[in-house]
């Protein structure tokens, strides 16, 4: 027979009264088929519910706590990244689907002060900018434009290339607001990336 | 001297030992002892997740094949992943110790391989598969954990909508309706003149707000529901109402946005709030819906699903 004090101590420790069954009824011994925390299950032959490995239990608790904290903190973090760097709201498990419509991303290319028509690019360079556009829509202005810019620099024999990105966004006020970003690449950067670009 | 009746004194704990109600609520939500049918629930969910991930792999493969530039290596990897998932789905129970971790690995690899375009439900599917693999030896903890993830997913979605602010004046819905999306369902809640006004905004850069009316009320209800229902689920007294409400929200999204795979997964994991028979029924019903949608896809030659 468990005294009131012992019962209270156990309740304070486990959060469950020891004489409470699984349906919350008092006055009966617990009939827990899966075993109490930290003890072997009712059926010792059942290896599926064996919980007597303390290291494994600690690791599982760590998994539970860390992933739940991550899942709780990631959506607001993603929102901050969206505000700061136009990180896409729909993807990355930030749960921001249906928060903003997907609007256009416009690219403007300038090589040594000359505006370059995207339609006149070589196929490989055009593909590189198409890839850049797709990645920028998801990863925002954090996406490096170096590779595409270096290809353009080589094609145009330029010293400086600017990739101007404009991402339209629908605001809470029902207006479309543009967000601008200029990615400037100079010759030095591309000479370091020569191998990557020439492949 | 006559002794009066002896009344048993009520046992109380000192206030410092009594946690506040919100902490007690959390403890109940994650209570690993009060779950007599946890293993049955997880068995149903596990089977469902294998077929669900298989269905997702099929859909990904079909979309990849439709791409203009299909990459043979990526297609091959997807094909192998699909084969593994189907094998795991039909594997007998005695192969669980191999099948469950394999499914988790394939789901994780597939989600990471398609980054940064990985959908939220692909990540969530991988997350659920990983939880089933890691917490397999503690079914009650796994069930409580998966329920907590449902609440965090719903709350996170509501938080994002509230922070982006595009639902308070209905600007997101106004934009989508103006561009002929969701018209078949949500368009019925608008007057003809309001719908015509929104359509006339195409190409404009302002004016995408909803007039006061039922649709704006629904927009508010969605955001508030996603924020409040998960909190209500933490309290035992309101948990059933909250779980049914979450089902309702999922169903609403399903009807409007037609997110079959996300809706199916969300419904299956949310069913863990109920008994094992409900989990079994819902997971089977969702799989039947998948089969029906696949049949429509095949019958229409890929035009609808």
């Amino acid at each position: 027979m468990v005294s009131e004090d012992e019962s209270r101590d156990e309740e304070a420790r486990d959060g469950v009264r020891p004489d409470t069954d699984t349906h919350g009824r008092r006055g009966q011994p617990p009939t827990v088929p899966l075993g109490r925390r930290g003890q072997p299950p009712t059926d010792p032959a059942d290896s599926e519910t064996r919980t007597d490995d303390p290291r494994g239990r600690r690791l599982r608790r760590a998994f539970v706590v860390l992933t739940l904290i991550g899942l709780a903190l990631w959506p607001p973090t993603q929102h901050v990244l969206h505000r700061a760097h136009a990180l896409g709201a729909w993807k990355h498990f930030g749960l921001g689907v249906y928060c903003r419509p997907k609007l256009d991303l416009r690219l403007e290319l300038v090589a040594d002060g000359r505006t370059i028509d995207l339609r006149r690019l070589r196929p490989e360079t055009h593909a590189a900018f198409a890839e850049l556009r797709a990645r920028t829509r998801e990863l925002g202005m954090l996406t490096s434009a170096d590779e595409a810019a270096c290809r353009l620099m080589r094609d145009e024999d330029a010293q400086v290339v600017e990739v101007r990105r404009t991402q339209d966004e629908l605001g809470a006020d029902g207006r479309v607001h543009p967000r601008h970003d200029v990615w400037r690449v100079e010759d030095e950067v591309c000479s370091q990336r020569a191998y990557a670009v020439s492949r | 001297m006559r002794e009066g009746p002896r009344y048993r004194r009520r046992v109380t704990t000192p206030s410092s030992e009594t946690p506040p109600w919100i902490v007690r609520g959390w403890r109940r939500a994650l209570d690993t002892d009060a779950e007599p049918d946890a293993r049955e629930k997880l068995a149903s969910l596990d089977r469902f997740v294998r077929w669900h991930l298989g269905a997702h792999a099929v859909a990904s493969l079909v979309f990849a094949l439709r791409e203009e530039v299909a990459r043979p290596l990526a297609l091959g990897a997807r094909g192998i992943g699909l084969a593994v998932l189907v094998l795991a789905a039909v594997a007998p129970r005695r192969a669980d110790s191999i099948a469950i971790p394999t499914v988790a690995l394939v789901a994780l690899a597939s989600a990471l391989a398609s980054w940064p375009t990985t959908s939220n439900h692909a990540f969530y599917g991988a997350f659920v598969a990983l939880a089933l693999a890691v917490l397999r030896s503690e079914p009650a903890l796994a069930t409580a954990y998966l329920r907590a993830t449902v609440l965090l997913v719903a709350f996170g979605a509501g938080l994002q909508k509230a922070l982006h602010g595009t639902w308070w004046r209905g600007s997101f819905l106004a934009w989508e309706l103006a561009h002929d999306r969701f018209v078949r369902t949500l368009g019925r809640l608008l007057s003809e003149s309001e719908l015509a006004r929104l359509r006339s905004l195409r190409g404009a850069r302002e004016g995408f707000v909803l007039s006061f009316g039922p649709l704006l009320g629904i927009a508010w209800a969605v955001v508030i529901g996603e924020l409040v229902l998960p909190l209500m689920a933490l309290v035992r007294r309101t948990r059933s109402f909250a779980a049914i409400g979450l089902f309702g929200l999922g169903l609403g999204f399903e009807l409007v946005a037609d997110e079959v795979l996300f809706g199916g997964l969300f419904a299956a994991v949310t069913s863990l709030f109920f008994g094992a028979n409900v989990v079994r029924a819902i997971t089977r019903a969702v799989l039947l819906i998948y089969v029906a949608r696949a049949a429509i896809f095949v019958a229409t030659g890929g035009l609808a699903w």
Side-chain angles (χ1 to χ4, degrees):
Chain A
M1 191 74 182
V2 181
S3 72
E4 286 288 343
D5 285 340
E6 283 169 347
S7 160
R8 212 163 52 201
D9 289 344
E10 200 164 338
E11 183 184 5
R13 193 178 65 237
D14 287 345
V16 178
R17 287 196 70 105
D19 55 346
T20 305
D21 74 359
T22 53
H23 302 289
R25 292 189 296 256
R26 296 272 320 272
Q28 299 169 33
T31 53
V32 185
L34 295 165
R36 292 183 64 83
R37 276 172 277 187
Q39 292 174 12
T42 314
D43 177 6
D46 187 350
S47 60
E48 276 196 12
T49 55
R50 194 182 295 278
T51 58
D52 51 359
D53 173 17
R55 188 155 169 258
R57 276 187 65 235
R58 274 202 301 277
L59 285 173
R60 284 191 291 273
R61 295 298 186 278
F63 169 83
V64 165
V65 170
L66 291 177
T67 51
L68 287 182
I69 289 173
L71 196 53
L73 293 183
W74 175 237
T77 309
Q78 194 207 22
H79 182 76
V80 171
L81 289 171
H82 171 81
R83 294 290 291 266
H85 303 290
L87 182 76
W90 282 61
K91 302 286 166 86
H92 319 302
F93 204 17
L95 309 166
V97 282
Y98 302 116
C99 286
R100 286 184 188 278
K102 295 175 179 173
L103 303 191
D104 271 348
L105 173 79
R106 295 191 298 279
L107 289 181
E108 190 186 344
L109 311 179
V110 178
D112 285 346
R114 290 173 291 125
T115 303
I116 307 294
D117 188 348
L118 270 159
R119 290 167 298 184
R120 292 188 180 174
L121 296 176
R122 288 176 53 217
E124 300 83 30
T125 311
H126 193 275
F129 277 103
E131 172 86 12
L132 173 66
R133 186 196 299 267
R135 288 182 73 82
T136 304
R137 282 178 72 112
E138 303 301 345
L139 296 173
M141 307 310 177
L142 293 166
T143 313
S144 167
D146 281 356
E147 188 177 337
C150 288
R151 283 185 186 278
L152 181 66
M153 187 179 284
R154 191 189 57 187
D155 294 352
E156 298 293 324
D157 198 19
Q159 300 294 312
V160 178
V161 165
E162 280 183 2
V163 179
R164 297 176 184 171
R165 295 182 280 196
T166 305
Q167 174 69 70
D168 278 341
E169 272 192 358
L170 182 68
D173 55 359
R175 291 182 179 180
V176 177
H177 302 274
R179 291 173 72 164
H180 303 286
D181 173 78
V182 178
W183 191 281
R184 186 184 163 92
V185 178
E186 296 184 6
D187 194 22
E188 287 172 23
V189 175
C190 293
S191 56
Q192 288 165 7
R193 296 175 59 88
Y195 171 70
V197 172
S198 62
R199 267 195 303 181
Chain B
M1 190 172 174
R2 191 178 160 199
E3 195 176 344
R6 293 182 64 191
Y7 293 102
R8 191 178 170 199
R9 285 183 62 195
R10 191 177 163 209
V11 176
T12 55
T13 50
S15 59
S16 60
E17 289 179 18
T18 309
W21 67 270
I22 186 77
V23 176
R24 291 200 302 271
W26 267 107
R27 277 190 186 172
R28 285 200 200 106
L30 294 170
D31 188 353
T32 57
D33 284 344
E35 200 88 49
D37 55 354
R39 202 189 313 162
E40 280 177 79
K41 289 184 189 178
L42 281 194
S44 300
L45 184 71
D46 172 44
R47 281 287 153 188
F48 166 79
V49 165
R50 295 184 205 185
W51 284 112
H52 166 85
L53 292 172
H56 186 239
V58 170
S60 303
L61 194 59
V62 169
F63 283 120
L65 285 168
R66 282 180 162 191
E67 278 179 14
E68 284 178 15
V69 189
R71 294 172 183 166
L73 195 66
L75 287 178
R78 282 176 199 273
I80 291 169
L82 173 61
V84 171
L85 289 170
V86 171
L87 272 178
V90 297
R93 270 206 72 169
R94 63 177 180 276
D96 277 0
S97 56
I98 298 170
I100 294 175
T102 308
V103 167
L105 278 178
V106 170
L108 266 181
S110 151
L112 294 176
S114 55
W115 190 81
T117 56
T118 312
S119 58
N120 285 302
H121 67 80
F123 273 125
Y124 191 44
F127 204 81
V128 172
L130 186 66
L132 288 169
V134 173
L135 304 175
R136 186 168 161 252
S137 56
E138 293 187 71
L141 176 64
T143 315
Y145 172 75
L146 288 169
R147 283 198 303 251
T149 65
V150 166
L151 303 185
L152 286 172
V153 163
F155 188 81
L159 187 67
Q160 286 274 33
K161 287 187 183 72
L163 291 174
H164 280 278
T166 50
W167 282 64
W168 298 124
R169 292 180 68 189
S171 52
F172 171 76
L173 292 177
W175 177 277
E176 296 293 324
L177 286 161
H179 292 84
D180 275 347
R181 284 183 287 268
F182 310 145
V183 173
R184 212 172 44 178
T185 45
L186 296 182
R188 294 174 190 193
L189 299 167
L190 293 176
S191 63
E192 285 293 324
S193 58
E194 175 74 349
L195 198 55
R197 180 187 73 81
L198 291 176
R199 280 178 168 151
S200 72
L201 291 173
R202 276 185 214 170
R205 295 184 70 84
E206 59 184 358
F208 294 96
V209 287
L210 290 176
S211 306
F212 183 77
L215 189 53
L216 194 59
I218 287 177
W220 275 65
V222 167
V223 181
I224 293 170
E226 284 182 339
L227 289 172
V228 172
L229 289 172
L231 298 178
M232 289 173 73
L234 297 178
V235 182
R236 177 170 283 176
R237 196 177 290 176
T238 51
R239 189 170 299 152
S240 298
F241 173 79
I244 292 167
L246 287 170
F247 260 120
L249 271 179
L251 189 66
F253 271 107
E254 192 70 22
L255 291 175
V256 174
D258 201 19
E259 292 273 4
V260 182
L261 289 170
F262 178 76
L265 182 62
F266 187 79
V269 185
T270 308
S271 69
L272 293 175
F273 278 99
F274 302 102
N277 53 344
V278 177
V279 179
R280 200 178 309 118
I282 285 178
T283 50
R284 284 178 184 177
V286 172
L287 288 178
L288 275 177
I289 291 171
Y290 288 177
V291 171
R293 300 298 291 261
I296 292 170
F297 184 81
V298 172
T300 59
L303 293 175
W305 68 305

